[in-house]
Coordinates of all heavy atoms in Angstrom, one line a residue:
P6 N -11.9 -8.8 4.0 CA -13.1 -8.5 3.2 C -13.5 -9.8 2.4 O -12.7 -10.7 2.1 CB -12.6 -7.5 2.2 CG -11.1 -7.6 2.1 CD -10.7 -8.1 3.5
T29 N 24.1 7.0 -3.3 CA 23.8 5.9 -2.4 C 23.4 4.6 -3.1 O 23.0 4.7 -4.3 CB 22.6 6.2 -1.4 OG1 21.5 6.5 -2.2 CG2 23.0 7.4 -0.6
D30 N 23.6 3.5 -2.5 CA 23.1 2.2 -3.1 C 21.9 1.8 -2.1 O 22.1 1.3 -1.0 CB 24.2 1.1 -3.1 CG 23.6 -0.2 -3.6 OD1 22.5 -0.2 -4.0 OD2 24.4 -1.2 -3.6
L37 N 4.3 -5.6 -2.5 CA 3.2 -6.5 -2.3 C 2.3 -6.4 -3.5 O 2.0 -5.3 -4.0 CB 2.5 -6.0 -1.0 CG 1.3 -6.8 -0.5 CD1 1.9 -8.1 0.1 CD2 0.6 -6.0 0.6
A40 N -4.6 -8.1 -5.5 CA -5.6 -8.2 -6.6 C -7.0 -7.8 -6.0 O -7.4 -8.3 -5.0 CB -5.7 -9.6 -7.1
V43 N -12.8 -5.9 -9.9 CA -13.6 -4.7 -10.2 C -14.3 -5.0 -11.5 O -14.0 -5.8 -12.3 CB -12.7 -3.5 -10.3 CG1 -12.0 -3.1 -9.0 CG2 -11.7 -3.6 -11.4
D52 N 2.0 0.9 -12.1 CA 1.9 0.1 -10.9 C 0.8 -0.8 -10.8 O 0.5 -1.3 -9.7 CB 1.9 1.1 -9.7 CG 3.2 1.9 -9.5 OD1 4.3 1.2 -9.7 OD2 3.2 3.1 -9.3
A59 N -9.9 -8.9 -12.4 CA -9.3 -8.1 -11.3 C -8.2 -7.2 -11.8 O -7.7 -7.4 -12.9 CB -8.7 -9.1 -10.3
G62 N -2.5 -4.4 -8.1 CA -1.6 -3.3 -7.8 C -0.4 -3.7 -7.2 O -0.3 -4.7 -6.4
D75 N 10.5 11.8 0.0 CA 11.8 11.8 -0.7 C 12.7 10.7 -0.2 O 13.7 10.4 -0.8 CB 12.5 13.2 -0.5 CG 11.8 14.3 -1.2 OD1 11.1 14.0 -2.2 OD2 11.9 15.5 -0.8
V82 N 1.5 -1.3 7.8 CA 0.3 -2.2 7.5 C -0.2 -1.8 6.1 O 0.0 -0.6 5.7 CB -0.8 -1.9 8.6 CG1 -1.3 -0.5 8.6 CG2 -1.9 -3.0 8.5
V85 N -7.5 -2.7 3.3 CA -8.5 -2.6 2.2 C -9.8 -2.2 2.8 O -10.2 -2.7 3.8 CB -8.5 -3.9 1.3 CG1 -9.0 -5.0 2.2 CG2 -9.4 -3.7 0.1
L86 N -10.5 -1.4 2.1 CA -11.9 -1.1 2.4 C -12.6 -1.0 1.0 O -12.3 0.0 0.2 CB -12.1 0.2 3.1 CG -13.5 0.7 3.5 CD1 -14.2 -0.4 4.3 CD2 -13.5 2.0 4.1
L103 N 0.0 5.7 1.1 CA -0.1 5.6 -0.4 C -1.5 4.9 -0.6 O -1.7 3.8 -0.1 CB 1.0 4.7 -1.0 CG 0.9 4.4 -2.4 CD1 0.9 5.7 -3.3 CD2 2.1 3.5 -2.9
D110 N -8.1 2.9 -10.8 CA -6.7 2.9 -10.8 C -6.1 4.2 -10.6 O -5.1 4.7 -11.2 CB -6.2 2.3 -12.2 CG -4.8 1.8 -12.1 OD1 -4.3 1.5 -11.0 OD2 -4.1 1.8 -13.2
A135 N -10.0 -3.5 6.5 CA -9.5 -4.8 6.8 C -8.0 -4.9 6.6 O -7.5 -4.3 5.6 CB -10.2 -5.9 5.9
W138 N -2.0 -7.0 5.1 CA -0.6 -7.3 5.3 C 0.0 -6.5 6.4 O -0.3 -5.3 6.6 CB 0.2 -7.0 4.0 CG 1.6 -7.2 4.0 CD1 2.3 -8.4 3.7 CD2 2.6 -6.3 4.4 NE1 3.6 -8.2 3.9 CE2 3.9 -7.0 4.3 CE3 2.6 -5.0 4.9 CZ2 5.1 -6.3 4.6 CZ3 3.8 -4.4 5.2 CH2 5.0 -5.0 5.0
G142 N 7.3 -10.2 12.2 CA 8.1 -9.8 13.4 C 7.7 -8.5 13.9 O 8.1 -7.8 14.7

Side-chain angles (χ1 to χ4, degrees):
T29 62
D30 179 5
L37 186 69
V43 296
D52 292 316
D75 292 334
V82 66
V85 63
L86 179 62
L103 177 60
D110 199 26
W138 176 91

